[in-house]
Amino acid sequence: MPANDSLTREELVHIAIEVSKNAVAPHSCFHVGAALETDDGTIFTGCNVESDSYGLTICAERVALTKALSEGARSFNRIAIIGIQHGGDGKPLIQKDATQFSVESHSGLGPCGACRQLLWDHCRDIEVIGGTPEGEVGRVWRLAELLPAAFQIGD
Ligand code: THU
């Protein structure tokens, strides 16, 4: 997506929701979308892509990141992430009261540990926006809060 004039956090969450519709998640039925913004406002999106081996599954954040890097982007500002649990009928299970589904997802999805490291490797201390399945801005962090004392080589 081409550069734009500063999107709101909510707009970035909505882009993540849109791309989550492309998720390939037949095993978990958990559809994740990520919208990674570069310093110049370009948005790279990603969704999760699952493997029958389970372990080879690729997270939405890593799809967005590798798309961006492979297009030459090197400087990043923010990432928005959302996850929507779908049911056996393929429809989203949207429920405000998160007693049945992931509390994590409903208060704003955070990236998994592996994605935290890869985001740190290539984006350093970006803003991480955990969006809700309803399209709201949930929790907002700096990546350094999510991955304190991160492993890194060099500056
Ligand atoms: N998933 C992501 O895409 N990002 C995360 O940060 C956590 C997990 C995906 C992987 C798998 O397809 C599904 O969510 C359930 O774990």
Side-chain angles (χ1 to χ4, degrees), residues 67-119:
K67 278 169 71 178
L69 293 171
S70 66
E71 294 297 319
R74 290 293 183 271
S75 191
F76 301 95
N77 187 26
R78 298 182 292 179
I79 188 168
I81 309 159
I82 64 94
I84 302 176
Q85 184 67 60
H86 284 57
D89 59 0
K91 293 194 183 128
L93 297 172
I94 300 265
Q95 182 171 299
K96 279 267 186 195
D97 166 15
T99 47
Q100 238 179 309
F101 312 119
S102 161
V103 173
E104 178 80 0
S105 164
H106 280 261
S107 56
L109 190 68
C112 80
C115 288
R116 291 178 194 198
Q117 178 65 45
L118 266 160
L119 288 169

Side-chain angles (χ1 to χ4, degrees), residues 23-34 46-51 54 57-62 81-83 85 109-116:
V24 184
H27 302 296
S28 71
C29 298
F30 190 60
H31 294 203
V32 184
C47 62
N48 53 333
V49 179
E50 296 187 345
S51 161
Y54 288 42
T57 289
I58 310 172
C59 292
E61 298 90 321
R62 267 178 280 170
I81 309 159
I82 64 94
Q85 184 67 60
L109 190 68
C112 80
C115 288
R116 291 178 194 198

